[in-house]
Amino acid sequence: MPQPITLISSWRVVPLTETACQELCAWSYPDPYAVYNWPSWTTMLDNKSEFADSQIRDEQYRGVVDHNGILIGFVQFFPIVGVTRLGLGLRPDLCGKGYGTSSSEGRGTVGSNNGDTPVSAQGLGTQFVQLLVAEAQYRNPEQEIDLEVLVWNERAIRAYQRAGFTITDTYEKWTPTGSADFHCMVYTGPLIVIAEH
């Protein structure tokens, strides 16, 4: 078993508020990532889909905020027997960033480029995923953690691999835009402990 790592982060996992849900629905990812855009909040409410259903939101969804309380992402802890499946999204303007500082001890250290946006030598996505893994491990320490990713999304796959995930399966799955190929990735890394600060 790998040694635990300590994640030092100014990001926090918090309840996902209705205001945050509306903000998520306004996020706009550029092509080819536009498939990750949510429908409008009105459409979500009309269909009572995903986090627009208050029971599903309370049981499965959380927001991620920075040290100023600004929403930077979300996570869904989707329950499957013996598994916590992560669904996640990082705010579009933070995706694809890979700059900053890293610790000499291999810990997941979050630095800052301007005092507002945490950054890491591993990239924001990797730090974000490590935070979500730590939260999933805290919630259900005995459960396997996995996620699904579209096979063409190499940027996300790299971030997940750096965070400790391994591709274990590839399959076709139906999506709102038609059939697509997905990788299932399972977390095989160490226990991640969030440092108190």
Side-chain angles (χ1 to χ4, degrees):
M1 182 81 169
Q3 289 293 315
I5 63 170
T6 301
L7 179 68
I8 302 168
S9 177
S10 61
W11 297 339
R12 292 177 295 120
V13 177
V14 298
L16 186 65
T17 65
E18 188 168 320
T19 300
C21 292
Q22 293 174 33
E23 188 175 337
L24 292 177
C25 289
W27 286 359
S28 181
Y29 295 94
D31 285 330
Y33 306 102
V35 298
Y36 298 112
N37 292 335
W38 291 100
S40 72
W41 180 239
T42 303
T43 301
M44 297 276 291
L45 282 174
D46 288 347
N47 296 328
K48 287 207 174 285
S49 59
E50 298 295 335
F51 50 76
D53 179 314
S54 61
Q55 182 177 350
I56 292 173
R57 180 172 63 242
D58 292 344
E59 292 174 0
Q60 298 180 21
Y61 282 90
R62 295 293 179 270
V64 179
V65 297
D66 67 13
H67 66 281
N68 292 319
I70 305 297
L71 186 69
I72 61 135
F74 74 92
V75 60
Q76 179 186 23
F77 299 104
F78 187 80
I80 303 173
V81 176
V83 176
T84 299
R85 174 157 291 164
L86 300 180
L88 57 108
L90 186 61
R91 199 173 69 214
D93 64 305
L94 300 178
C95 293
K97 309 293 185 210
Y99 46 85
T101 60
S102 66
S103 112
S104 60
E105 297 179 21
R107 295 181 181 183
T109 304
V110 175
S112 177
N113 63 340
N114 64 7
D116 294 328
T117 306
V119 296
S120 145
Q122 295 178 333
L124 291 174
T126 300
Q127 291 287 336
F128 181 69
V129 174
Q130 287 176 326
L131 176 67
L132 304 182
V133 166
E135 181 71 17
Q137 289 173 330
Y138 174 78
R139 291 165 166 266
N140 295 295
E142 302 303 317
Q143 290 196 352
E144 179 177 87
I145 300 167
D146 76 6
L147 54 78
E148 293 177 312
V149 60
L150 287 160
V151 297
W152 59 259
N153 192 345
E154 294 176 11
R155 182 174 74 185
I157 293 166
R158 283 191 306 272
Y160 301 152
Q161 288 171 329
R162 286 190 303 261
F165 283 82
T166 302
I167 295 171
T168 58
D169 197 8
T170 303
Y171 44 82
E172 190 174 344
K173 183 176 163 181
W174 183 255
T175 73
T177 59
S179 182
D181 290 330
F182 285 82
H183 291 310
C184 179
M185 300 184 73
V186 173
Y187 184 72
T188 57
L191 175 68
I192 301 175
V193 179
I194 301 172
E196 297 293 324
H197 61 279

